[in-house]
Short mmCIF file of all heavy atoms in Angstrom, two decimals:
data_model
loop_
_atom_site.label_atom_id
_atom_site.label_comp_id
_atom_site.label_asym_id
_atom_site.label_seq_id
_atom_site.Cartn_x
_atom_site.Cartn_y
_atom_site.Cartn_z
N PHE A 1 169.84 201.92 221.37
CA PHE A 1 170.41 202.52 222.59
C PHE A 1 170.76 204.04 222.18
O PHE A 1 170.54 204.96 222.87
CB PHE A 1 171.55 201.82 223.15
CG PHE A 1 172.21 202.52 224.34
CD1 PHE A 1 171.44 202.55 225.48
CD2 PHE A 1 173.42 203.01 224.34
CE1 PHE A 1 171.96 203.18 226.72
CE2 PHE A 1 173.98 203.74 225.38
CZ PHE A 1 173.22 203.81 226.62
N ALA A 2 171.32 204.18 220.90
CA ALA A 2 171.64 205.53 220.43
C ALA A 2 170.51 206.40 220.40
O ALA A 2 170.51 207.61 220.75
CB ALA A 2 172.32 205.37 219.06
N TYR A 3 169.29 205.87 219.90
CA TYR A 3 168.11 206.68 219.93
C TYR A 3 167.62 206.94 221.30
O TYR A 3 166.96 208.01 221.61
CB TYR A 3 167.02 205.97 219.19
CG TYR A 3 167.31 205.92 217.62
CD1 TYR A 3 167.14 204.78 216.92
CD2 TYR A 3 167.68 207.18 216.98
CE1 TYR A 3 167.45 204.82 215.58
CE2 TYR A 3 167.94 207.12 215.62
CZ TYR A 3 167.80 205.99 214.88
OH TYR A 3 168.10 205.97 213.55
N LEU A 4 167.92 206.02 222.26
CA LEU A 4 167.52 206.29 223.64
C LEU A 4 168.35 207.44 224.32
O LEU A 4 167.75 208.34 224.90
CB LEU A 4 167.69 204.96 224.44
CG LEU A 4 167.40 205.02 225.92
CD1 LEU A 4 165.93 205.30 226.16
CD2 LEU A 4 167.85 203.81 226.64
N TYR A 5 169.61 207.42 224.15
CA TYR A 5 170.40 208.49 224.75
C TYR A 5 170.63 209.77 223.94
O TYR A 5 171.18 210.71 224.36
CB TYR A 5 171.75 207.92 225.34
CG TYR A 5 172.84 207.75 224.42
CD1 TYR A 5 173.77 208.85 224.01
CD2 TYR A 5 173.04 206.58 223.71
CE1 TYR A 5 174.68 208.70 223.02
CE2 TYR A 5 174.07 206.43 222.77
CZ TYR A 5 174.95 207.44 222.46
OH TYR A 5 175.96 207.30 221.54
N GLY A 6 170.15 209.60 222.71
CA GLY A 6 170.49 210.68 221.71
C GLY A 6 169.84 211.98 222.08
O GLY A 6 170.19 213.06 221.74
N TRP A 7 168.67 211.91 222.90
CA TRP A 7 168.00 213.05 223.32
C TRP A 7 168.90 214.01 224.24
O TRP A 7 168.63 215.11 224.42
CB TRP A 7 166.78 212.72 224.21
CG TRP A 7 166.95 211.83 225.33
CD1 TRP A 7 166.99 210.44 225.41
CD2 TRP A 7 167.35 212.22 226.68
NE1 TRP A 7 167.26 209.91 226.63
CE2 TRP A 7 167.47 211.02 227.48
CE3 TRP A 7 167.52 213.49 227.30
CZ2 TRP A 7 167.90 211.06 228.78
CZ3 TRP A 7 167.88 213.45 228.56
CH2 TRP A 7 168.01 212.26 229.32
N LEU A 8 169.96 213.42 224.67
CA LEU A 8 170.85 214.29 225.64
C LEU A 8 171.60 215.28 224.67
O LEU A 8 171.89 216.39 225.25
CB LEU A 8 171.97 213.28 226.23
CG LEU A 8 171.59 212.61 227.49
CD1 LEU A 8 172.62 211.58 227.86
CD2 LEU A 8 171.19 213.51 228.64
N ALA A 9 171.81 215.10 223.46
CA ALA A 9 172.55 216.04 222.65
C ALA A 9 171.80 217.41 222.49
O ALA A 9 172.39 218.37 222.82
CB ALA A 9 172.85 215.48 221.21
N PRO A 10 170.51 217.40 222.22
CA PRO A 10 169.84 218.67 222.15
C PRO A 10 169.68 219.33 223.54
O PRO A 10 169.63 220.49 223.80
CB PRO A 10 168.44 218.52 221.52
CG PRO A 10 168.33 216.95 221.51
CD PRO A 10 169.62 216.36 221.63
N ILE A 11 169.53 218.41 224.67
CA ILE A 11 169.44 218.94 226.03
C ILE A 11 170.71 219.66 226.36
O ILE A 11 170.74 220.65 227.14
CB ILE A 11 169.14 217.69 226.92
CG1 ILE A 11 167.78 217.21 226.61
CG2 ILE A 11 169.29 218.07 228.38
CD1 ILE A 11 166.88 216.89 227.60
N LEU A 12 171.83 219.07 225.93
CA LEU A 12 173.16 219.88 226.21
C LEU A 12 173.19 221.26 225.62
O LEU A 12 173.62 222.15 226.29
CB LEU A 12 174.36 218.98 225.65
CG LEU A 12 174.65 217.72 226.40
CD1 LEU A 12 175.63 216.86 225.57
CD2 LEU A 12 175.19 217.95 227.71
N VAL A 13 172.67 221.38 224.39
CA VAL A 13 172.59 222.67 223.77
C VAL A 13 171.73 223.61 224.63
O VAL A 13 172.05 224.79 224.90
CB VAL A 13 172.02 222.62 222.37
CG1 VAL A 13 171.82 223.99 221.80
CG2 VAL A 13 173.02 221.80 221.47
N LEU A 14 170.55 223.19 225.03
CA LEU A 14 169.59 223.84 225.85
C LEU A 14 170.18 224.24 227.21
O LEU A 14 170.10 225.36 227.57
CB LEU A 14 168.35 222.98 226.09
CG LEU A 14 167.26 223.71 226.87
CD1 LEU A 14 166.69 224.85 226.16
CD2 LEU A 14 166.13 222.70 227.23
N LEU A 15 170.85 223.38 227.82
CA LEU A 15 171.36 223.61 229.15
C LEU A 15 172.54 224.66 229.00
O LEU A 15 172.67 225.52 229.95
CB LEU A 15 171.90 222.28 229.86
CG LEU A 15 170.88 221.34 230.42
CD1 LEU A 15 171.53 220.03 230.76
CD2 LEU A 15 170.26 222.05 231.61
N ALA A 16 173.36 224.52 228.01
CA ALA A 16 174.49 225.45 227.74
C ALA A 16 173.88 226.90 227.65
O ALA A 16 174.46 227.87 228.06
CB ALA A 16 175.37 225.08 226.61
N ASN A 17 172.83 226.98 227.00
CA ASN A 17 172.21 228.34 226.72
C ASN A 17 171.52 228.82 228.00
O ASN A 17 171.64 230.02 228.30
CB ASN A 17 171.24 228.30 225.54
CG ASN A 17 172.00 228.34 224.19
OD1 ASN A 17 172.72 229.16 223.93
ND2 ASN A 17 171.76 227.31 223.48
N VAL A 18 170.87 227.99 228.67
CA VAL A 18 170.16 228.42 229.88
C VAL A 18 171.14 228.82 230.94
O VAL A 18 171.04 229.78 231.74
CB VAL A 18 169.21 227.33 230.40
CG1 VAL A 18 168.70 227.54 231.82
CG2 VAL A 18 168.10 227.10 229.52
N ALA A 19 172.26 228.03 231.06
CA ALA A 19 173.30 228.36 232.07
C ALA A 19 174.16 229.57 231.50
O ALA A 19 175.09 229.96 232.36
CB ALA A 19 174.21 227.11 232.24
N ARG A 20 173.94 230.05 230.41
CA ARG A 20 174.77 231.14 229.89
C ARG A 20 176.32 230.74 229.95
O ARG A 20 177.22 231.54 230.35
CB ARG A 20 174.57 232.41 230.57
CG ARG A 20 173.13 232.98 230.42
CD ARG A 20 172.94 234.28 231.08
NE ARG A 20 171.60 234.64 231.26
CZ ARG A 20 170.90 234.53 232.46
NH1 ARG A 20 171.60 234.25 233.59
NH2 ARG A 20 169.65 234.80 232.55
N ALA A 21 176.52 229.51 229.39
CA ALA A 21 177.90 229.10 229.29
C ALA A 21 178.72 229.90 228.39
O ALA A 21 178.16 230.51 227.48
CB ALA A 21 177.90 227.54 228.86
N PRO A 22 179.98 229.90 228.62
CA PRO A 22 180.88 230.70 227.70
C PRO A 22 180.68 230.09 226.20
O PRO A 22 180.30 229.01 226.04
CB PRO A 22 182.32 230.37 228.22
CG PRO A 22 182.14 229.92 229.62
CD PRO A 22 180.80 229.29 229.70
N GLY A 23 180.92 231.09 225.25
CA GLY A 23 180.77 230.78 223.90
C GLY A 23 181.43 229.53 223.38
O GLY A 23 180.65 228.72 222.67
N PRO A 24 182.70 229.19 223.82
CA PRO A 24 183.19 227.90 223.36
C PRO A 24 182.50 226.70 223.80
O PRO A 24 182.36 225.66 223.05
CB PRO A 24 184.64 227.94 223.96
CG PRO A 24 184.96 229.45 224.12
CD PRO A 24 183.68 230.08 224.38
N ILE A 25 181.96 226.72 224.93
CA ILE A 25 181.18 225.55 225.50
C ILE A 25 179.91 225.42 224.65
O ILE A 25 179.42 224.33 224.21
CB ILE A 25 180.93 225.69 226.97
CG1 ILE A 25 182.25 225.48 227.79
CG2 ILE A 25 179.89 224.64 227.45
CD1 ILE A 25 182.18 225.65 229.25
N ARG A 26 179.16 226.56 224.44
CA ARG A 26 178.00 226.48 223.67
C ARG A 26 178.30 225.94 222.26
O ARG A 26 177.48 225.19 221.70
CB ARG A 26 177.40 227.97 223.52
CG ARG A 26 176.79 228.42 224.72
CD ARG A 26 176.12 229.72 224.56
NE ARG A 26 175.93 230.45 225.77
CZ ARG A 26 175.11 231.55 225.85
NH1 ARG A 26 174.50 232.04 224.84
NH2 ARG A 26 174.98 232.19 227.03
N TYR A 27 179.39 226.49 221.72
CA TYR A 27 179.77 225.90 220.32
C TYR A 27 180.02 224.42 220.32
O TYR A 27 179.60 223.83 219.38
CB TYR A 27 181.02 226.77 219.82
CG TYR A 27 181.61 226.30 218.57
CD1 TYR A 27 180.92 226.62 217.34
CD2 TYR A 27 182.75 225.48 218.47
CE1 TYR A 27 181.39 226.24 216.16
CE2 TYR A 27 183.25 225.14 217.22
CZ TYR A 27 182.49 225.44 216.12
OH TYR A 27 183.06 225.06 214.86
N LEU A 28 180.70 223.97 221.40
CA LEU A 28 180.94 222.51 221.41
C LEU A 28 179.60 221.71 221.44
O LEU A 28 179.46 220.70 220.88
CB LEU A 28 181.78 222.18 222.65
CG LEU A 28 183.18 222.56 222.53
CD1 LEU A 28 183.94 222.33 223.96
CD2 LEU A 28 183.94 221.85 221.47
N THR A 29 178.57 222.27 222.23
CA THR A 29 177.37 221.56 222.24
C THR A 29 176.64 221.45 220.87
O THR A 29 176.11 220.46 220.46
CB THR A 29 176.42 222.13 223.23
OG1 THR A 29 176.02 223.51 222.92
CG2 THR A 29 176.96 222.11 224.66
N LEU A 30 176.75 222.62 220.16
CA LEU A 30 176.16 222.62 218.80
C LEU A 30 176.91 221.66 217.89
O LEU A 30 176.26 220.93 217.02
CB LEU A 30 176.27 224.13 218.12
CG LEU A 30 175.24 225.04 218.90
CD1 LEU A 30 175.50 226.46 218.46
CD2 LEU A 30 173.80 224.65 218.57
N VAL A 31 178.29 221.67 217.85
CA VAL A 31 179.02 220.71 217.08
C VAL A 31 178.79 219.26 217.40
O VAL A 31 178.51 218.48 216.55
CB VAL A 31 180.46 221.00 217.16
CG1 VAL A 31 181.37 219.96 216.39
CG2 VAL A 31 180.79 222.40 216.61
N LEU A 32 178.53 218.96 218.70
CA LEU A 32 178.25 217.65 219.14
C LEU A 32 176.81 217.26 218.65
O LEU A 32 176.73 216.10 218.13
CB LEU A 32 178.34 217.63 220.66
CG LEU A 32 178.05 216.16 221.28
CD1 LEU A 32 179.12 215.25 220.82
CD2 LEU A 32 178.01 216.24 222.78
N LEU A 33 175.93 218.15 218.66
CA LEU A 33 174.55 217.84 218.14
C LEU A 33 174.61 217.54 216.70
O LEU A 33 173.98 216.64 216.24
CB LEU A 33 173.67 218.99 218.44
CG LEU A 33 172.18 218.91 217.94
CD1 LEU A 33 171.44 217.74 218.52
CD2 LEU A 33 171.42 220.18 218.22
#
């Protein structure tokens, strides 16, 4: 199951960058990944 939903972690990084989220949110996505 972890391998199944694990694809969400890099997608969060991608979405944060596409959305031009504030720096702290982008940083959180990278740390989470």
Side-chain angles (χ1 to χ4, degrees):
F1 183 68
Y3 290 131
L4 179 67
Y5 79 87
W7 57 267
L8 282 171
I11 294 222
L12 288 168
V13 174
L14 179 67
L15 286 170
N17 284 301
V18 169
R20 296 185 197 106
I25 291 176
R26 290 186 199 191
Y27 177 74
L28 288 174
T29 63
L30 289 170
V31 173
L32 184 64
L33 176 62

